[in-house]
Amino acid sequence: GSARLRDGRLRISGDDGVASSGLPAGKIHQAVTTSDAFTVEAWVRPADLLQRGPARIVSISGSTSLGDVSFHLGQERTCLSFRIAPGEGEAEWLLIEGVFTTPQPSWHLAVTYDRGAIGFFVDGVLVERDRVGGDDEVGRPLFSLASWDETLPLLIGNEATLDRPFRGDILAAAMYDRALTAAEIDRNFRAGAVLGGG
């Protein structure tokens, strides 16, 4: 569609642009469900600071239906949007306000998840912590990635339904099978900033 890879940067300019793994994201699924932890990281340059949907930056999903979403990282107007699902039609949707408020060359975004604990980082700085799911009577997390749907693809720049485009540039995207430390995220931000934002 309207996704173009130029100079190592993915540009989405229309509604139908998306980069997709095509096949299920099996390696990612196996790694993160084993560790029950992950980090999603992206360097982005939105073309519109008020785009919404939420506009998808990175996701593992099959549609906008809650039952078809493992997670998404996105933009909802000036907010950073993050949805994470334990499966079975349930999901937590978290909005971090005041991220895309003033034009700047690019944003470095990272979200860590570790057995229910979530950390949100913008330009190398922890801006918020949250927790989803709680624990059962013996202290085990109620929220687990083990029930993620292993058939869903990895998507960058849009939803599988092609109705949640992130208009702008995605300069880099990465996933890890553990929660990166604050020091590691700051190091990645500084390395990318030296290179011009990704």
Side-chain angles (χ1 to χ4, degrees):
S2 57
R4 296 288 179 266
L5 191 60
R6 293 186 180 138
D7 300 321
R9 299 170 185 208
L10 181 68
R11 174 162 289 176
I12 310 290
S13 57
D15 290 345
D16 62 344
V18 65
S20 171
S21 63
L23 299 173
K27 290 182 181 178
I28 294 173
H29 179 272
Q30 182 177 359
V32 303
T33 56
T34 298
S35 65
D36 202 20
F38 71 94
T39 299
V40 58
E41 178 182 40
W43 278 97
V44 300
R45 184 179 296 134
D48 178 0
L49 296 187
L50 295 177
Q51 62 187 326
R52 53 188 302 230
R56 305 298 202 258
I57 298 169
V58 181
S59 63
I60 293 180
S61 60
S63 76
T64 58
S65 169
L66 289 184
D68 285 339
V69 176
S70 293
F71 85 91
H72 87 234
L73 174 69
Q75 178 188 354
E76 178 66 19
R77 299 187 183 268
T78 60
C79 300
L80 177 65
S81 172
F82 185 70
R83 179 173 284 161
I84 185 165
E88 301 174 3
E90 298 179 18
E92 294 278 349
W93 185 25
L94 305 161
L95 292 173
I96 308 305
E97 297 185 8
V99 174
F100 304 105
T101 54
T102 307
Q104 62 185 56
S106 61
W107 282 261
H108 177 254
L109 311 170
V111 178
T112 62
Y113 171 89
D114 190 353
R115 295 170 182 82
I118 301 177
F120 297 91
F121 296 79
V122 177
D123 294 338
V125 176
L126 177 67
V127 295
E128 191 165 325
R129 287 190 187 278
D130 215 318
R131 182 154 188 87
V132 293
D135 296 326
D136 67 12
E137 62 278 356
V138 294
R140 292 176 302 206
L142 293 172
F143 200 95
S144 171
L145 307 183
S147 58
W148 271 13
D149 184 345
E150 62 185 342
T151 67
L152 299 178
L154 173 70
L155 304 167
I156 300 177
N158 207 336
E159 186 52 80
T161 50
L162 300 180
D163 58 354
R164 301 292 192 274
F166 175 84
R167 290 184 181 85
D169 294 333
I170 298 176
L171 311 173
M175 281 198 70
Y176 307 83
D177 64 352
R178 62 185 178 85
L180 297 185
T181 66
E184 288 172 321
I185 291 170
D186 182 62
R187 181 193 66 205
N188 290 357
F189 165 67
R190 292 178 186 280
V194 168
L195 297 173

